[in-house]
Amino acid sequence: MSSPDDPNRIPTGNHYDKVASSNPIERRMVTGFFDALDSMLDGLRPQSILEVGVGEGEVLTRVMRRFPTASVRGIDLEDERLAAIWRDRNLPVDVGDATSLDFPDRSFDLVLAIEVLEHIPHPERALREIARHWFGILRGCGNDVRECLHDGDPTACVEDAAFAYVNVFTAHLNVGFFRGAELPDPAGL
């Protein structure tokens, strides 16, 4: 572990525990955040989940409760204080680097990176890694799926019908599915 005085050290963990705050404004913001997360997860049935940047483990704990049969992993930078929290909560967290995920393509069908990109010196590298996993899922939809460019973006197609895309930007990642095409869904997307 690097020294706190090391100028190249990447800070880990939060400096303020907003989840445990009793401030009514912060409580409302945190409640809104978790309500939005729950809404985004509605209807999903992931079998394998990765959270990049676990921090204190609030999101990972919530995801594990919501999807109790899913295989769940988390990665974060080395931090002794956080590691103690992960052990206490029995969270499956590995020390790892978001810009170089040590998992094969298609290892996860849900990848979360929540409130982490602002802590990464080169967030575009982490987004590229997350996109790599999504492209693996799209490729696994069948032998008819191929990649093409649609409006300049990498897109998954069957013949000339585009059905999904992944956009990687410097500050965020978009994964989208076009409506209208009725296609078999062997990957359970």
Side-chain angles (χ1 to χ4, degrees), residues 117-176:
L117 295 176
E118 65 271 22
H119 301 288
I120 299 174
H122 299 284
E124 70 280 1
R125 294 178 189 166
L127 290 170
R128 191 175 309 124
E129 279 295 288
I130 294 168
R132 178 174 63 90
H133 287 276
W134 275 104
F135 274 119
I137 290 169
L138 295 177
R139 286 186 198 106
C141 289
N143 293 333
D144 294 337
V145 175
R146 64 182 176 83
E147 294 174 41
C148 66
L149 289 179
H150 176 73
D151 292 336
D153 297 316
T155 305
C157 302
V158 174
E159 295 180 1
D160 290 331
F163 73 93
Y165 62 91
V166 178
N167 303 83
V168 181
F169 301 95
T170 57
H172 68 282
L173 171 77
N174 288 343
V175 177

Side-chain angles (χ1 to χ4, degrees), residues 2 5 63 161 171:
S2 62
D5 300 325
V63 166

